[in-house]
């Protein structure tokens, strides 16, 4: 499985942001140190400042005050009057709209702006994107997903130090959206540059993000590894559509063709059963389990429709911030964590408390491939 800790260490392309920016009545305040590897997602409700912050990083807007540093290079320093131009920042930028040149074929769009001709590099990116069959077509003949893959390819061919993706799946239908998400997920493991990914869709971010920046009204609420933030009870009101979901790493264990089921193995050896998936044994997966789909029992329940029952230890508990009738629980499963939520009445009647061993009954599991 992927060693996510190695992907989140600060590297030569770590990004430091300390900015204040005023735009009309809206302001952005950010003080961040983002990892130089992996995918960092900017998440928040509409109007939280996600795209505004991305534009400041890209150089499309200039902060009133502050400093932005990428690795050892200062991109912005208001005190020293430094503001590196967009085209000199070595950033690959992909917007919601592909913004391809309509009068150029795909080949021309990909080659536009490349400072040096490198046929081998061009061919590598084309193969990676799977768009070699599109090279002689005009943008008007491309589907939405194809056009965005070309836009990503054009950004990569500029050999950027960082890739900025602003809502790349917006407007695509279900199958095309999943297809492009799978492609981007594969891409993150094939290119060795950090990605800043803006989205309002928790399912996208749960599948792709290593790190998360939570924004509200232009302010940073929290930042850190995605897994860690999803486990924090105090952030529940800000997680929106995440529904306080848990992220677990697993891999395909085996298939049951008679019942059309697949069993997934967690790192501690426990198994989860899901409807049959077309993936080979040992394929790594990232699981997303919404807190609403986890129930608790004191012992395994052999006569139950819950086929997924995991042995867990209660690590921590707290009242749910916005619901006085409920309790939040953080469970330890091997080296991973799972969130659950029960009523205060059930909590007391079951005698739940930290360090108690329980059985987590898991109703539903969503998952994404982990190359």
């Amino acid at each position: 499985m992927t060693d996510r800790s190695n992907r989140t260490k600060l590297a030569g392309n770590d990004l430091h942001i300390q900015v204040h920016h005023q735009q009309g009545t809206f302001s952005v305040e950010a003080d961040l140190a983002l990892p130089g590897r992996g995918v960092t997602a900017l998440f928040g409700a509409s109007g939280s400042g996600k795209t505004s912050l991305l534009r400041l990083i890209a150089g499309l807007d200039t902060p009133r005050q502050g400093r932005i540093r990428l690795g050892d290079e200062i991109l912005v320093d208001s005190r020293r009057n430094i503001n590196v131009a967009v085209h000199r920042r070595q950033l690959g930028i992909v917007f919601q709209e592909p913004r391809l040149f309509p009068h150029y074929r795909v080949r021309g769009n990909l080659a536009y702006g490349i400072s040096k001709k490198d046929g081998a590099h061009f061919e590598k990116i084309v193969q990676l994107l799977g768009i070699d069959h599109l090279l002689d077509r005009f943008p008007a003949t491309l589907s939405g997903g194809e056009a965005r893959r070309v836009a990503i390819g054009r950004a990569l061919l500029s050999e950027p130090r960082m890739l900025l993706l602003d809502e790349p799946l917006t407007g695509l239908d279900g199958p095309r959206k999943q297809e492009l998400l799978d492609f981007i997920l594969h891409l993150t493991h094939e290119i060795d540059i950090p990605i800043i990914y803006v989205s309002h869709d928790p399912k996208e971010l749960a599948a792709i993000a290593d790190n998360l920046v939570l924004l509200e009204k232009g302010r940073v609420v929290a930042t850190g590894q995605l897994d860690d933030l999803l486990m924090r009870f105090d952030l529940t009101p800000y997680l929106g559509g995440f529904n306080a979901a848990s992220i677990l790493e697993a891999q395909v264990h085996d298939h049951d063709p008679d019942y059309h089921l697949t069993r997934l193995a967690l790192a501690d050896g426990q198994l989860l059963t899901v409807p049959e998936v077309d993936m080979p044994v040992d394929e790594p997966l990232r699981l997303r389990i919404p807190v609403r789909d986890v129930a608790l029992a004191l012992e395994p329940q052999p006569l139950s429709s819950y086929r997924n029952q995991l042995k867990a230890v209660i690590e921590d508990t707290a009242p749910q911030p916005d619901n006085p009738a409920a309790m939040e629980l953080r469970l330890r499963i091997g080296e991973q964590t799972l969130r659950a939520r029960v009523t205060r009445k059930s909590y007391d009647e079951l005698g739940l408390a930290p360090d108690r061993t329980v059985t987590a009954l898991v109703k539903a599991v969503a998952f994404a491939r982990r190359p």
Side-chain angles (χ1 to χ4, degrees):
M1 283 188 286
T2 302
D3 182 354
R4 298 181 66 223
S5 63
N6 285 342
R7 295 179 60 197
T8 54
K9 293 178 182 176
L10 291 181
N13 286 337
D14 57 310
L15 183 67
H16 292 260
I17 306 167
Q18 293 176 302
V19 295
H20 166 75
H21 182 59
Q22 190 76 33
Q23 193 165 6
T25 60
F26 183 77
S27 65
V28 175
E29 294 273 0
D31 187 348
L32 293 166
L34 303 182
R37 290 184 181 177
V39 180
T40 296
L42 306 184
F43 177 75
S46 179
S48 61
K50 304 184 297 295
T51 296
S52 295
L53 183 56
L54 195 77
R55 289 178 62 87
L56 291 173
I57 296 169
L60 298 171
D61 291 326
T62 302
R64 291 276 185 92
Q65 298 176 351
R67 194 169 184 264
I68 300 176
R69 175 170 63 83
L70 178 60
D72 295 328
E73 183 181 2
I74 303 299
L75 301 181
V76 172
D77 190 326
S78 58
R79 290 185 178 180
R80 298 164 59 188
N81 199 30
I82 295 174
N83 184 21
V84 176
V86 176
H87 66 282
R88 295 187 180 277
R89 294 195 179 195
Q90 292 184 274
L91 301 174
I93 310 169
V94 179
F95 300 97
Q96 294 180 30
E97 296 301 324
R99 302 189 184 187
L100 302 178
F101 298 114
H103 55 293
Y104 286 174
R105 298 180 189 271
V106 166
R107 186 186 302 276
N109 270 280
L110 290 172
Y112 185 86
I114 299 177
S115 58
K116 58 181 180 179
K117 301 300 181 182
D118 185 342
H121 182 57
F122 183 92
E123 188 64 26
K124 178 182 177 181
I125 296 299
V126 166
Q127 293 298 322
L128 178 62
L129 294 163
I131 56 172
D132 51 313
H133 63 294
L134 304 176
L135 292 177
D136 292 325
R137 289 170 56 180
F138 285 99
T141 69
L142 304 178
S143 69
E146 290 171 339
R148 291 182 203 197
R149 284 161 67 182
V150 173
I152 292 172
R154 184 171 63 183
L156 290 175
L157 282 165
S158 69
E159 300 188 55
R161 297 176 60 188
M162 178 174 284
L163 188 61
L164 310 180
L165 303 180
D166 185 14
E167 305 260 15
L169 306 187
T170 297
L172 299 181
D173 61 27
R176 302 291 78 75
K177 187 172 185 177
Q178 186 60 51
E179 180 182 281
L180 187 57
L181 179 60
D182 289 341
F183 157 73
I184 295 174
L185 183 58
H186 174 71
L187 181 69
T188 65
H189 293 262
E190 293 294 326
I191 61 174
D192 190 25
I193 60 174
I195 296 175
I196 307 294
Y197 191 103
V198 170
S199 177
H200 64 279
D201 188 335
K203 292 182 180 179
E204 287 179 38
L205 303 187
I208 202 170
D210 298 296
N211 311 289
L212 184 67
V213 177
L214 282 176
L215 294 163
E216 185 186 48
K217 298 179 180 178
R219 304 297 185 270
V220 176
V221 176
T223 181
Q225 286 199 358
L226 175 67
D227 305 15
D228 295 339
L229 296 195
L230 294 185
M231 289 299 114
R232 282 179 50 180
F233 301 144
D234 60 311
L235 297 180
T236 300
Y238 302 101
L239 290 171
F242 274 109
N243 293 318
S246 304
I247 304 298
L248 301 178
E249 300 288 343
Q251 61 186 33
V252 176
H253 182 268
D254 58 24
H255 300 283
D256 182 347
D258 292 336
Y259 288 99
H260 301 282
L261 298 172
T262 294
R263 291 198 301 173
L264 311 177
L266 300 179
D268 68 344
Q270 296 195 75
L271 300 176
L272 289 166
T273 301
V274 300
E276 188 173 30
V277 296
D278 184 19
M279 299 182 193
V281 171
D282 296 332
E283 176 91 357
L285 301 168
R286 174 184 282 187
L287 310 181
R288 178 179 180 271
I289 304 176
V291 67
R292 66 172 181 268
D293 290 333
V294 179
L296 296 181
L298 298 181
E299 302 289 344
Q301 306 293 302
L303 300 178
S304 170
S305 62
Y306 280 94
R307 307 313 303 165
N308 293 317
Q309 303 190 20
L310 301 175
K311 181 180 179 180
V313 176
I314 299 175
E315 186 176 74
D316 194 14
T317 69
Q320 187 181 348
D322 55 356
N323 183 358
M327 291 290 291
E328 299 274 7
L329 297 92
R330 185 165 59 244
L331 312 175
R332 175 66 60 181
I333 300 176
E335 296 299 316
Q336 302 191 85
T337 49
L338 177 71
R339 281 185 71 164
R341 183 177 296 153
V342 300
T343 65
R344 289 180 61 194
K345 184 176 177 64
S346 294
Y347 182 87
D348 290 339
E349 289 180 346
L350 292 172
L352 302 178
D355 297 326
R356 176 148 196 180
T357 299
V358 295
T359 297
L361 310 175
V362 181
K363 180 180 180 182
V365 178
F367 52 84
R369 283 181 169 88
R370 300 294 288 165

